[in-house]
Amino acid sequence: MTGPEGATVWHAFYDLLRLYDMKTIFGNPGSTEQPMLKNFPADFEYILGLQEASVVAMADGFSQATRKPVVVSLHTSAGTGNGMGNIMTAFLNKTPLIIIAGQQTREMLIGEPMLSNRDAEMMPRPWVKWAYQPVRAKDVPAALIRAVATATMPPAGPVYLSIPLDDWDAEITTTPVPRAVSTRVAPDPEQLSSFAARITKAKNFALVLGQEVDKSLGWEAAIKFAELLEAPVFQAPLAERAVFPERHMLFKGMLPIARGPLSNKLETFDLVLVVGAEVWRYYPYVPGAVVPPGLELLQITNDPHDAATALVGDSLLSDARLALEGLYRLLHSTLDRPPLEPKAPELSDATGLTHSTRKNELSPMTAMDAWSAVAQLRPKNAILVQESPSNGSDLVQVWPAEQPESYFTFASGGLGWNAPAAAGIALAQKHNRTSRPTILAIGDGSLHYSVQSIYTAVQHKVKLVYLVPLNEEYAILKEFAILEQTPNVPALDLPGLNAMATAKAYGCPSFRAESMSDLSKCFEDALEIDGPALIEFPIDRQLRPLVAQTAARA
């Protein structure tokens, strides 16, 4: 379309973002980004992060919680480097981020002056779907349109544009028209019918659900399909979303995270359908078969990469919800079964008292003690974000997911994502006026990877409660040391950390709880605060077998 007289790349950029309804930009400004940000439009919002790792993860959380692509502004190669770990996580999370990095002025690029983004298209790879530096300034608007299309088409993911700082003032006479692209893939009818026929013939069928079910808003479809077949439902190992109501009588928890134990868990079945997950997302190596002898496996995923890398089975490319709905339609007329009778949920006592290993009132709380205390008081609409690797299994036992989009963690395992992501998720709730509080459970070591995000949470007064168990160690690595037989690894103890002092330095109210009753009171107080609050609480230093921790979502 024809632009107004005197229109520049800057005008076209913001006009396109308005048409896409992408008016929240996350960033940390630098000299190469100032031409993009000058005269910042009043109808846009700029969310400042004090370091780019936090910037990327906040945008990731915000994007997931709003279900929209989000613009991220990074400071040339230096800022990209700072954010790279969480760019990798965004890629594995399959989050549509439009990352725009500044670049030195075109006139000087041949000599690679300070802050040049050398080989800009190479730097973020392989952790972006597309990277591009426009050849001409007037190509920037078209590059933005392609970036949005690429980021949002399945599987979604981050894209990266490097824009020289002098491009923003370049005059243009036309602006390309935004394009609409499909964000879902429907299943091949013939392949879906084949899957349905094989499910009908199965004698012992199981359903494994992954993160794509929650992202596709497929809970209802999953419940109907599972109940139709009266099939046991497992969560795929290390899924970064909750996938099924965890008080449902058919839910059997998460599959083990290692090859041998996972295979053993499935040995009673002859057919397994995996929907919306890899086959499989392992963590530690424990020898064993991928699947037990005699088991056939079917996979449905919207990601060709995950289909290609599946170690066994037949794969169908599809949106998870569309495939589940399609299978239900194919099977419900052939399966004449009465509806399931509801049963009391087979869950651990929500008080956690039956699991407590606390020796006496003077000893530190166990992780189960602590999580049980807060779980009793959690608001029904609360969103849980989790990065407490060594005791997350205890947390999810007493905090079962009961509604969609209520649990978030990372797909990568790279620490430092969840704290800023929780701030982004909480900011999305504020923008959408949902009144849903965000609860972050994060280890004392994990908190300090992207601690700067507390500042942003405070400045925007988001409803976010930080729950920080203090064990003064990298307990998960000590548990790995036992599994891998690697004794005497240095630097696994973390004395001297003070989460309260850190939070207060950013202006965040903070509390310390020494007992379950203290923690309950602090949690109630934190929920009443208009803005974020942090609670730290010492726990015992109990180590447990790593592979046995199969109940945790991460």
Side-chain angles (χ1 to χ4, degrees):
M1 59 184 176
T2 303
E5 185 176 349
T8 64
V9 167
W10 183 94
H11 293 99
F13 173 76
Y14 285 106
D15 285 344
L16 285 170
L17 292 182
R18 288 185 181 97
L19 293 171
Y20 282 120
D21 193 25
M22 296 167 56
K23 297 194 292 184
T24 302
I25 298 176
F26 290 78
N28 180 274
S31 56
T32 53
E33 292 68 53
Q34 285 181 297
M36 181 185 87
L37 300 172
K38 69 180 180 181
N39 300 320
F40 195 68
D43 58 330
F44 280 69
E45 183 177 19
Y46 187 88
I47 307 298
L48 171 66
L50 298 184
Q51 206 264 7
E52 287 89 350
S54 290
V55 167
V56 173
M58 286 191 296
D60 189 339
F62 187 85
S63 174
Q64 290 195 49
T66 58
R67 305 187 216 129
K68 292 181 179 180
V70 172
V71 175
V72 181
S73 174
L74 299 182
H75 181 40
T76 186
S77 54
T80 302
N82 287 339
M84 199 65 233
N86 281 333
I87 293 173
M88 178 268 291
T89 295
F91 182 85
L92 295 176
N93 287 346
K94 301 175 183 175
T95 305
L97 300 182
I98 315 301
I99 301 170
I100 300 178
Q103 173 66 293
Q104 264 286 6
T105 184
R106 288 183 184 271
E107 189 69 26
M108 297 198 296
L109 280 179
I110 188 63
E112 295 187 354
M114 180 179 285
L115 294 176
S116 295
N117 195 348
R118 184 185 300 181
D119 206 350
E121 295 176 11
M122 179 65 69
M123 185 174 184
R125 291 176 175 160
W127 303 116
V128 293
K129 291 181 68 178
W130 182 54
Y132 184 63
Q133 181 169 293
V135 176
R136 304 173 301 175
K138 67 180 183 180
D139 293 332
V140 171
L144 175 63
I145 291 172
R146 178 174 171 181
V148 173
T150 303
T152 54
M153 286 190 293
V159 295
Y160 185 87
L161 296 178
S162 172
I163 310 297
L165 63 88
D166 51 331
D167 282 7
W168 298 101
D169 289 329
E171 292 191 1
I172 55 175
T173 56
T174 60
T175 301
V177 177
R179 303 173 55 237
V181 297
S182 173
T183 58
R184 298 196 297 172
V185 176
D188 171 24
E190 186 174 314
Q191 183 81 327
L192 193 70
S193 295
S194 172
F195 277 25
R198 293 172 68 177
I199 292 169
T200 303
K201 295 176 183 177
K203 295 180 179 179
N204 294 291
F205 173 75
L207 181 62
V208 178
L209 301 177
Q211 54 280 347
E212 293 173 27
V213 173
D214 196 44
K215 294 176 182 180
S216 68
L217 305 180
W219 272 43
E220 182 179 351
I223 294 167
K224 288 179 63 176
F225 180 70
E227 290 180 347
L228 175 69
L229 298 171
E230 298 183 14
V233 177
F234 296 94
Q235 179 170 296
L238 299 171
E240 67 269 20
R241 296 284 197 96
V243 300
F244 198 80
E246 293 173 4
R247 292 184 182 274
H248 195 286
M249 57 182 291
L250 293 175
F251 186 67
K252 305 303 179 185
M254 189 180 82
L255 287 174
I257 61 176
R259 178 178 289 194
L262 191 158
S263 179
N264 294 340
K265 190 75 172 180
L266 298 177
E267 62 186 3
T268 60
F269 304 104
D270 62 347
L271 181 67
V272 167
L273 173 64
V274 180
V275 181
E278 305 98 313
V279 180
W280 303 101
R281 186 181 287 177
Y282 296 129
Y283 190 9
Y285 176 68
V286 177
V290 176
V291 295
L295 174 66
E296 295 184 0
L297 186 142
L298 306 175
Q299 181 200 30
I300 297 173
T301 176
N302 68 2
D303 190 340
H305 177 270
D306 291 348
T309 57
L311 297 172
V312 296
D314 299 329
S315 298
L316 167 64
L317 288 177
S318 174
D319 172 85
R321 179 160 65 94
L322 292 179
L324 288 166
E325 290 172 344
L327 286 171
Y328 180 86
R329 287 192 296 270
L330 289 169
L331 292 173
H332 88 280
S333 60
T334 61
L335 297 173
D336 185 17
R337 292 175 177 168
L340 290 177
E341 292 294 329
K343 294 182 181 179
E346 298 178 1
L347 286 176
S348 57
D349 179 2
T351 66
L353 297 177
T354 58
H355 302 276
S356 176
T357 58
R358 194 173 187 184
K359 299 178 181 64
N360 56 66
E361 286 300 312
L362 297 178
S363 63
M365 290 180 284
T366 65
M368 181 65 81
D369 289 334
W371 298 136
S372 297
V374 296
Q376 293 179 76
L377 301 170
R378 66 163 174 167
K380 290 186 178 297
N381 63 345
I383 297 170
L384 179 62
V385 184
Q386 193 263 118
E387 191 178 297
S388 194
S390 64
N391 51 59
S393 57
D394 292 337
L395 173 60
V396 299
Q397 282 186 55
V398 296
W399 194 303
E402 299 182 69
Q403 58 182 299
E405 298 181 293
S406 61
Y407 176 84
F408 295 81
T409 189
F410 47 16
S412 69
L415 299 181
W417 181 85
N418 287 273
I425 291 166
L427 186 65
Q429 306 316 308
K430 185 173 183 178
H431 274 224
N432 293 338
R433 300 179 180 178
T434 67
S435 76
R436 298 185 71 182
T438 302
I439 313 299
L440 170 66
I442 187 164
D444 53 348
S446 297
L447 176 68
H448 289 271
Y449 278 78
S450 298
V451 72
Q452 303 93 336
S453 58
I454 296 175
Y455 174 84
T456 305
V458 169
Q459 294 301 308
H460 290 272
K461 297 182 70 174
V462 298
K463 194 66 176 178
L464 172 59
V465 179
Y466 297 79
L467 298 175
V468 186
L470 304 177
N471 58 10
E472 297 187 314
E473 62 182 351
Y474 286 132
I476 188 70
L477 296 182
K478 291 185 176 182
E479 292 166 356
F480 252 104
I482 295 171
L483 177 69
E484 298 175 335
Q485 300 181 3
T486 55
N488 304 316
V489 174
L492 299 187
D493 290 308
L494 302 170
L497 295 179
N498 190 327
M500 279 185 67
T502 302
K504 287 180 178 179
Y506 288 111
C508 179
S510 57
F511 309 88
R512 182 180 176 93
E514 300 285 351
S515 67
M516 293 177 70
S517 58
D518 285 350
L519 183 54
S520 296
K521 179 63 167 61
C522 290
F523 188 55
E524 289 179 320
D525 291 345
L527 288 171
E528 294 299 319
I529 291 175
D530 183 20
L534 180 144
I535 309 169
E536 66 173 16
F537 45 94
I539 61 171
D540 70 357
R541 301 180 69 168
Q542 176 187 8
L543 298 180
R544 290 163 290 185
L546 182 67
V547 177
Q549 297 182 36
T550 58
R553 287 188 285 263

